[in-house]
Amino acid sequence: MSQREQRAPELQRAWDLMESVRDDPAVQDWLSEVDELGPRRPRNDRHRGRWAVAASVCLAVGAVVSAYFYFASSHYATHVGEQRDIVLSDGSRITLNTNTSINVSYSRSRRYIELERGEALFSVQHNAKRPFDVAAGGTVTRALGTEFNVDLRASKVTVSVLEGVVQVAASNQVARQVETNSGAADDRGSGLTTIAAAVVKGQAVEIRPQERRVISEMADLKRIDAWRSRRLEFTDMPLPAAIEEFNRYSSTRVVIGTAELQSVHVSGVFRIGDTDSFVCSLKEALGMRILDSPGQVTLLRGGSVPVGSALE
């Protein structure tokens, strides 16, 4: 095999990278600067060919370098308790909630985000020629210009719309696991099934493959607005659910150590990650005892002992 044939895959990848960033604003700005240098070219016609070749080489190198840095920064993540705002090259914005990981891939025809874990809020710049797709847990949410939230949990994916309209599809494998009354349409060419053709402002769709259900409901906009402001608001919420939500933001876990606390409901506004204030509020409101251990706080009712333990 010749050296040229051996390098063919590398050259193809380089070409693909250059094609994918051709419309990137950074590349366009760079090209504008190159155009401004035009009048400085030598007047001697003998050198024009050389300048053209040099400009082409610089353009190719610049595109490859731009592509390298463009794709090198295409992965974003947050740690437990951390939040992060990201502005993409087209002006779209993504707000990552706690313990979230995404991959961003932009091309000339598509804007594609993969939510690997966690929760993210997307504010999308309108561009009908470049759909904005978010893949999460076997689902794909498509929007042209809107604001929506995708929350990926172990057993479900919830898509909530704050502005505009989105379409939610699922891989055919996931779609076959759930029952839906939305008039699902199977697109065999893409391997996806549309399970919610129009989710509008104030609405949400929840996909629960293990329970074989797709649930249409009102979006919990209050909860989304709260986490964006680093708050948690609970209104008559079962204590286990409140603790599960709080634990998403803290490396110190709160656990229930007394069975009777499972049926208790709580209300209140709490600062994200402030375990001491959260536990103190529960202690005062519910008359509980607290058992501290490394990385964990156990809630106990009165003189009870933790579930699973025994008196000595």
Side-chain angles (χ1 to χ4, degrees):
M1 180 182 296
S2 67
Q3 184 177 3
R4 181 178 179 180
E5 292 174 331
Q6 292 176 348
R7 296 293 302 278
E10 298 177 14
L11 294 173
Q12 182 61 49
R13 285 194 294 269
W15 179 260
D16 291 341
L17 287 175
M18 287 188 287
E19 283 290 305
S20 65
V21 298
R22 178 185 298 174
D23 296 328
D24 185 82
V27 175
Q28 295 299 321
D29 291 342
W30 185 83
L31 290 174
S32 297
E33 294 177 4
V34 172
D35 289 338
E36 293 175 359
L37 296 176
R40 302 178 185 177
R41 294 177 181 176
R43 297 179 179 178
N44 194 325
D45 291 341
R46 293 180 304 169
H47 299 295
R48 288 184 178 177
R50 296 179 182 178
W51 275 97
V53 172
S56 299
V57 172
C58 288
L59 176 59
V61 172
V64 172
V65 171
S66 297
Y68 173 79
F69 285 106
Y70 187 85
F71 283 93
S73 61
S74 62
H75 177 77
Y76 306 92
T78 55
H79 301 294
V80 173
E82 180 187 8
Q83 294 176 342
R84 182 179 180 185
D85 290 320
I86 301 163
V87 180
L88 302 179
S89 60
D90 66 333
S92 296
R93 292 177 175 269
I94 305 177
T95 301
L96 304 184
N97 201 359
T98 178
N99 194 24
T100 297
S101 176
I102 65 170
N103 290 311
V104 178
S105 298
Y106 269 29
S107 69
R108 297 178 62 190
S109 59
R110 189 185 188 194
R111 297 170 288 176
Y112 182 78
I113 315 295
E114 179 188 8
L115 178 62
E116 296 179 317
R117 68 171 187 272
E119 181 176 15
L121 178 69
F122 302 89
S123 298
V124 183
Q125 288 292 322
H126 178 76
N127 188 339
K129 296 181 179 180
R130 297 177 74 195
F132 192 100
D133 294 336
V134 177
T139 69
V140 176
T141 300
R142 169 164 290 191
L144 293 177
T146 186
E147 186 174 35
F148 63 100
N149 190 83
V150 181
D151 187 3
L152 175 61
R153 306 288 178 104
S155 60
K156 64 180 180 179
V157 179
T158 304
V159 179
S160 306
V161 179
L162 285 71
E163 293 289 344
V165 183
V166 304
Q167 173 183 302
V168 181
S171 68
N172 291 339
Q173 180 178 0
V174 171
R176 284 192 294 268
Q177 291 180 255
V178 301
E179 297 174 355
T180 175
N181 296 320
S182 61
D186 188 3
D187 183 353
R188 299 186 184 277
S190 67
L192 294 173
T193 297
T194 299
I195 56 179
V199 185
V200 301
K201 178 180 178 179
Q203 294 184 346
V205 60
E206 188 176 280
I207 301 94
R208 292 176 172 261
Q210 296 177 1
E211 299 179 18
R212 300 179 60 83
R213 288 195 296 167
V214 173
I215 305 169
S216 296
E217 57 190 5
M218 296 299 295
D220 192 351
L221 302 182
K222 185 177 180 180
R223 185 194 73 84
I224 297 171
D225 182 65
W227 76 252
R228 294 172 69 182
S229 303
R230 296 197 62 79
R231 305 189 321 273
L232 294 176
E233 296 187 18
F234 304 134
T235 303
D236 196 30
M237 178 177 288
L239 181 58
I243 289 176
E244 179 183 3
E245 184 68 13
F246 185 86
N247 282 341
R248 296 177 62 205
Y249 301 87
S250 176
S251 57
T252 299
R253 302 192 64 77
V254 179
V255 300
I256 295 176
T258 306
E260 60 187 288
L261 291 176
Q262 298 284 343
S263 59
V264 171
H265 285 61
V266 296
S267 298
V269 180
F270 305 94
R271 189 70 178 172
I272 281 178
D274 191 348
T275 304
D276 291 340
S277 296
F278 180 64
V279 170
C280 183
S281 297
L282 294 178
K283 180 180 178 180
E284 293 180 359
L286 303 175
M288 297 183 298
R289 291 193 303 113
I290 305 300
L291 179 63
D292 282 313
S293 58
Q296 181 172 299
V297 176
T298 303
L299 306 179
L300 304 172
R301 170 74 85 180
S304 60
V305 296
V307 174
S309 66
L311 293 172
E312 298 181 353

